[in-house]
Each structure stands twice: as structure tokens, then as C-alpha cells.
Amino acid sequence: MQTGTTLIQFLTEEQRKTGQQNTDILELLTTVTISCKRISSAINEGALAGVMGSLDSENIQGETQKKLDVITNEIFLHTNERSGQLAGMASEEMETVYDIPADCRRGKYLLVFDPLDGSSNVDVNISVGTIFSILEHNKTSHPVTADFLQPGTRQIVAGYALYGSSTMLVITTGHGVNGFTLDRDVGEFMLTHPGMTIPTQTKEFAINASNQRFWEAPVQRYVSECVAGKTGPRERDFNMRWVASMVAEVHRILVRGGIFMYPKDTKDPTKAGKLRLMYEANPMSFIVEQAGGVSSTGRQRILNIQPEGLHQRVPVILGSREEVERVISYHAAN
Ligand code: AHM
Ligand code: MG
């Protein structure tokens, strides 16, 4: 009988092969995956569970919170605080760091997450996701914000769950990228997409074109050349997609290639970009690089950025190597 490989079986075997045995991380990832399964159930029930719609509250970024933003944040906090492996957590939905309650065993890791990315899509039944990143906290002190502000190169694990037509979990521990699909009958994420790699070339780009008038010259040039297609300098036609769920866009790029851009623009000069470094750009950049892609602000490798704040925003240009390198070269030439 073909039984398949569960996520934890796969990671145990990966640790054996790489000689990096670490049962603490496996325990932590077990509770992270339980959180994602719980979120998947809440999203699947949708209106039946009375979880759709917005609240009157705003999060730290001044964005209206969806009921599910708050519910999924609570699920992530309260499932993972009992893992025994965490010193603290930080999330898109909380202004400050979350200390592990006194009655829970503490550990040496920090968990940073966006519990419901793309939440503007949730009421219209379009894919959303959860993004997470695990960092080390090798101190006995209770973590403060400064302990979280580690560059993306220091991530131990990064992953996302995609709540789409099926629920998937895609993860890297620094040894490539592997995808798992939730088998609801047995309640486990099963290996379905081993060794995911991003094709180096692509004919598909993703950007919110309604911001075009605010883009900088290098992005204007790149997109206008794509749109010109066969008749322009690229001499081939491109296709465009925009889901407005970064998890869904990155997943599409991992499966069939592409370039995703949320670049720096002049729409709000106080913001360096829209997406957040710690729990969106860094984990996705770790995954993209591990799959053979490139991730940059246009001027700097995202993983090298020294964070200055938990909710810092950065421009994001990621995906197929040849296209992202072209956009970087347009920035350099500017
Ligand atoms: P969120 O975390 O508040 O959902 O915001 C992040 C999302 C990304 O998933 C997506 O790429 C982007 O915002 C879409 O922004 P826009 O609505 O400007 O197109
Ligand atoms: Mg988000």
C-alpha cells in the first residue's frame, strides 16, 4: 500500500541526511502545522462559522482588521505558545512582541508570522495564506524587539500555508524547498511537491498596475517593455496576473515561474513599499532563493537587510532569475 510521506517524516529524514538533528525544531513545526490546519478549517467553514467580514478595529499598520485576521492571529499565538520551543512571537496583527505566558515551557526560538496574508480576498473566496519565519534566541532573557531584528539570512526555517483549492504547506530549512498538500482524511500534510525550483526564464509578471503612475523609472521601463511584447525590445509576448495575495503569487511562481513586484513607489512617501520585511519579504525571499530564484528590493538583496523595526516595509521584486536580474540592472542603470 502506498502511504506517502508526512511533513514531519520528511523533515526528520532531511535532518538525518544533512546531519543536523534537531528535535526541538520538529516539535515547533508540529505546532506550526497544527495552527495552519486550524486556520484552514476556519477559512473553509467561511460564512457558516460566522467568521467573515470586518471589525471596527485597525491593526498597527492602520489597516481595517477582518474578523479572520484576529481569529487566525489568536490561533497562531495560542497553538504555538504551548510548543515548549518558543521564547516569543511577533505578528502583523500585534504592535509589540508577544512573550510566552509564565505557565508555558519556554524555548530558544522566535516565531514571526502574518497569520492571514491577502486578507482583503477572504470575503470573496479567493486564496489567502499564512507566512512564518523562525529565528533563534540564544539568550535566557525574555525577548525584546531588538532580538527579533535579525537579517533574513539568519532564518532557520521559513514557510507558508496556502488556503486555495487545496491547502498546501511549502517550507525551507535551508536545504531546498518542498511542498506538502493537506490530506483532510488523515489530517496530515503529505509530500506532493518535492524539490520545488523556479524556472530561470518566464513570460509572466505580477504587479498592481493601478499604482503605475507612482512607480520609479526602472519599474516603468521593465513593465512597459513586457506590455510592448513582440513589438517591443523583448520581442516576445508576456502575460500578467495579480491575485493580491502574495502567498498565491509566490506559489504560482514556484510552480511555473514568473516575477512578482511590489516596488518602491511615490504613493505614500513615508512608506518604503507595501510589504513587511520580517513576516512577508524575508520568509518569501528565503524560499525563493532556496528554489533558485532571486529576491531584491531592486537595489539590495532582501535577505541582507538589517531590520530596523518589526513592521518595517520594503520594496519586493522576486521570482525567476533572469527577469529579476533584468529589473535589478534597470535600477543600477538609472
Ligand atoms: P495584507 O498582509 O494586509 O493582506 O497585505 C499584503 C498583501 C499581499 O498579499 C499582496 O501582495 C498585497 O497586499 C496586495 O496589495 P494591493 O491590494 O495593493 O494590490
Ligand atoms: Mg500580509
Side-chain angles (χ1 to χ4, degrees), residues 92 114 116-118 131 275-276 279-280:
E92 174 172 338
D114 178 354
L116 193 65
D117 185 59
I131 311 173
L275 300 174
R276 277 56 57 109
Y279 40 81
E280 291 173 332

Side-chain angles (χ1 to χ4, degrees), residues 127-319:
S127 299
V128 288
T130 298
I131 311 173
F132 64 90
S133 163
I134 298 174
L135 299 161
E136 256 176 321
H137 179 66
N138 283 325
K139 296 178 186 171
T140 49
S141 57
H142 287 237
V144 293
T145 300
D147 295 313
F148 285 81
L149 303 182
Q150 306 178 32
T153 47
R154 302 253 297 268
Q155 293 173 102
I156 310 288
V157 181
Y160 64 77
L162 172 62
Y163 312 109
S165 42
S166 55
T167 291
M168 285 195 67
L169 199 133
V170 173
I171 193 164
T172 183
T173 61
H175 303 285
V177 178
N178 293 283
F180 301 80
T181 303
L182 181 60
D183 180 337
R184 290 189 187 278
D185 291 338
V186 292
E188 291 282 359
F189 283 103
M190 308 302 296
L191 180 67
T192 48
H193 295 60
M196 298 177 91
T197 51
I198 299 175
T200 54
Q201 295 180 330
T202 182
K203 287 183 181 174
E204 203 159 62
F205 68 101
I207 193 163
N208 182 341
S210 71
N211 293 324
Q212 178 166 13
R213 72 186 187 281
F214 304 111
W215 298 336
E216 295 185 316
V219 173
Q220 296 279 7
R221 176 181 170 193
Y222 176 76
V223 173
S224 68
E225 289 179 1
C226 290
V227 172
K230 272 189 182 137
T231 62
R234 303 296 307 270
E235 296 175 342
R236 59 193 166 98
D237 288 335
F238 282 75
N239 193 13
M240 207 240 8
R241 287 284 180 274
W242 187 250
V243 188
S245 272
M246 189 194 199
V247 175
E249 322 269 10
V250 169
H251 191 69
R252 185 185 64 246
I253 289 170
L254 279 166
V255 172
R256 67 177 191 211
I259 178 169
F260 167 90
M261 291 172 282
Y262 217 119
K264 184 171 187 294
D265 63 35
T266 58
K267 194 172 184 179
D268 178 349
T270 63
K271 293 178 184 163
K274 174 171 183 189
L275 300 174
R276 277 56 57 109
L277 176 61
M278 299 292 298
Y279 40 81
E280 291 173 332
N282 267 344
M284 289 312 203
S285 299
F286 190 16
I287 291 168
V288 164
E289 286 197 6
Q290 283 292 317
V294 179
S295 182
S296 169
T297 64
R299 297 180 170 89
Q300 184 182 12
R301 181 186 177 211
I302 286 178
L303 292 181
N304 283 342
I305 297 173
Q306 172 58 52
E308 287 167 3
L310 274 183
H311 302 288
Q312 175 176 351
R313 296 174 191 264
V314 285
V316 175
I317 298 165
L318 59 77

Side-chain angles (χ1 to χ4, degrees), residues 3 15 61 69 74 120 125 132 140 162 190 231-232 248 283 317:
T3 53
Q15 288 189 356
Q61 347 267 339
D69 282 323
E74 296 286 311
S120 69
N125 216 344
F132 64 90
T140 49
L162 172 62
M190 308 302 296
T231 62
I317 298 165

